Amino acid sequence: MLSITQKREIQYKLRIFTSSFHSQKRAATCIDGCSEGTVISALSNDEFGWEKISDKMWLNIAAQVGNVVDYDNIVETGNYKILNRYFNLAKKTGASFAITGNAGWGKTYTSKWYSSINRKNGVLYLECAEYWNKKMFLQKLLMQLGVTIFWKSTGEMMESLVREIRKNDKPLIIMDEVDKLSDGVLKFFITLYNELNKHCGFVWLSTDAMEKRMVRGMEKRTIGYPELFSRIGATFIRLKQPMMDEVQEILNVNGITDKEKVTIICNEVKDLKGDLRRAERNILKYKEKNN
């Protein structure tokens, strides 16, 4: 059974999440299996209605809003600055960019932070998955807009999505882990791009797997790949391995200041080619120990 403290922690993340939408109703639409009434009850300061929310529902909410970025502990690393530069440029000009970097280099963390603070300004964040088909791809985008989805055809969903996105001034869609999309869904991006060309910016994020896949597709003259490559500017922008002074700063702002401990963690991160998840794991251990 979840404790009041655990529920308060989920509530804190939920409050940050809902604040990024224009209304609680739209925020609730973005959470699978959760009604607006449940969101209102979960956000109640006096715990009104909490007895009606099952532990299963609390955990469902936590799973979907639990990765909200802590605004107070942002470290402006080199990759953070590069990503923000291209996010802003894509949003301002309606251009498309493809950015690659190793796992753990801050792509997801930075993009979640950027989309959270800019959701009301038309920025959508999409974490792609291997099992998606075209309809699920559109469904996930509509959910990020906070649009209620009924039984619709792919064509109807596409029209709804384009209509909703065009309501925003200089919108941006960030597609994280884009390399996980199947060829069919990836090529469907061409249609979305064509519908929103110059009105909406796009940024692809992935490891170098996407670049290698694109090269293979181009070499084999696979249908759709030349068009895809053209639409992302015919180039891939590469992030850099995090510097050790950046890792140290991340540890410091999260409370880990012991020089010996910091050195050990920095060396571990370096051995893992800059994977900041190692630092994140140590930060979580530190916070659990000190809470």
Side-chain angles (χ1 to χ4, degrees), residues 94-111:
S96 297
F97 301 102
I99 303 174
T100 65
N102 285 15
W105 281 13
K107 300 185 299 299
T108 297
Y109 187 91
T110 303
S111 56

Side-chain angles (χ1 to χ4, degrees), residues 215-232:
V215 169
R216 287 195 302 271
M218 295 286 286
E219 289 175 345
K220 294 179 180 180
R221 299 183 181 180
T222 304
I223 295 174
Y225 273 79
E227 291 87 348
L228 282 168
F229 194 47
S230 172
R231 281 160 177 75
I232 58 171

Side-chain angles (χ1 to χ4, degrees), residues 14-109:
L14 178 61
R15 183 168 284 116
I16 294 175
F17 179 79
T18 54
S19 69
S20 68
F21 288 84
H22 287 290
S23 68
Q24 288 183 349
K25 182 177 181 179
R26 290 217 164 201
T29 301
C30 198
I31 304 174
D32 272 330
C34 183
S35 68
E36 182 185 2
T38 300
V39 169
I40 292 171
S41 295
L43 291 174
S44 172
N45 287 326
D46 56 4
E47 301 169 18
F48 178 77
W50 278 24
E51 72 281 357
K52 296 180 181 179
I53 305 175
S54 67
D55 282 2
K56 185 177 180 180
M57 178 56 72
W58 278 109
L59 292 173
N60 174 50
I61 295 171
Q64 297 183 65
V65 306
N67 290 325
V68 172
V69 174
D70 188 342
Y71 303 134
D72 296 330
N73 295 330
I74 287 288
V75 173
E76 297 187 11
T77 64
N79 286 339
Y80 166 94
K81 293 175 181 177
I82 291 171
L83 288 165
N84 274 272
R85 183 190 312 149
Y86 283 103
F87 290 159
N88 289 330
L89 185 58
K91 190 177 189 321
K92 180 179 179 181
T93 65
S96 297
F97 301 102
I99 303 174
T100 65
N102 285 15
W105 281 13
K107 300 185 299 299
T108 297
Y109 187 91

